[in-house]
Amino acid sequence: MDGVLGLVILGLWIFCLLDVISTDEYACRNLSKIWWLILVLFFPLIGSIAWLVAGRPESNPTASMPYKGNQGHPSFPEYDRPGRAVAANPEDDEAFLRGLRERAEEQRRTYREKQREVTEQQRRELEEGDSTAG
């Protein structure tokens, strides 16, 4: 009887180990994928049972993913975060993006001006060094 129980535990362990490895990172529950892998690998019986109860993805993966399915949105895990802000209308998105572009352009302009000042100062220092050396 011990041999049969050992084979059942070995089968459970192999199944859970392969299941953890083949599960996407974002689909793991309660712990990250690497921690589940370590738990199942080093504690075969307890880790396997814990994986099946608390770590394995739900049987209906689209239930926890609001942007999957027929809505046509890409399936990126960052869309699954709770509390993710979604614009109510496209004009808000456009206004936000326009503001980002303007801010980025202003930062580029400021950077270029500072680089010109540094270059001009270095040029003056070189000219002063040449005139004192001659």
Side-chain angles (χ1 to χ4, degrees):
M1 196 61 165
D2 288 335
V4 173
L5 183 63
L7 283 176
V8 169
I9 292 173
L10 178 67
L12 176 69
W13 180 66
I14 291 173
F15 169 77
C16 289
L17 194 61
L18 292 175
D19 196 30
V20 170
I21 291 170
S22 65
T23 300
D24 291 329
E25 175 73 35
Y26 69 89
C28 292
R29 295 184 298 149
N30 298 316
L31 293 174
S32 66
K33 182 176 178 175
I34 191 72
W35 284 110
W36 279 118
L37 186 62
I38 291 170
L39 186 69
V40 171
L41 192 61
F42 291 114
F43 303 100
L45 182 60
I46 295 171
S48 296
I49 293 171
W51 167 252
L52 292 175
V53 172
R56 195 161 193 242
E58 296 173 354
S59 60
N60 184 5
T62 58
S64 64
M65 299 174 167
Y67 292 98
K68 286 202 173 189
N70 298 334
Q71 298 178 4
H73 293 281
S75 58
F76 296 109
E78 55 267 20
Y79 291 140
D80 299 333
R81 288 185 310 209
R84 179 179 174 269
V86 178
N89 59 21
E91 290 80 27
D92 289 346
D93 272 348
E94 287 301 317
F96 175 72
L97 292 174
R98 187 172 36 258
L100 286 179
R101 287 185 204 108
E102 290 170 359
R103 194 170 106 206
E105 190 56 41
E106 180 62 32
Q107 289 174 348
R108 285 187 199 107
R109 197 174 308 117
T110 304
Y111 175 78
R112 287 185 201 121
E113 289 173 6
K114 286 182 182 179
Q115 286 300 103
R116 281 189 203 116
E117 290 174 8
V118 168
T119 305
E120 187 65 29
Q121 184 177 359
Q122 289 173 346
R123 186 184 58 77
R124 275 183 285 202
E125 289 173 358
L126 283 175
E127 287 176 357
E128 290 174 4
D130 287 343
S131 64
T132 58

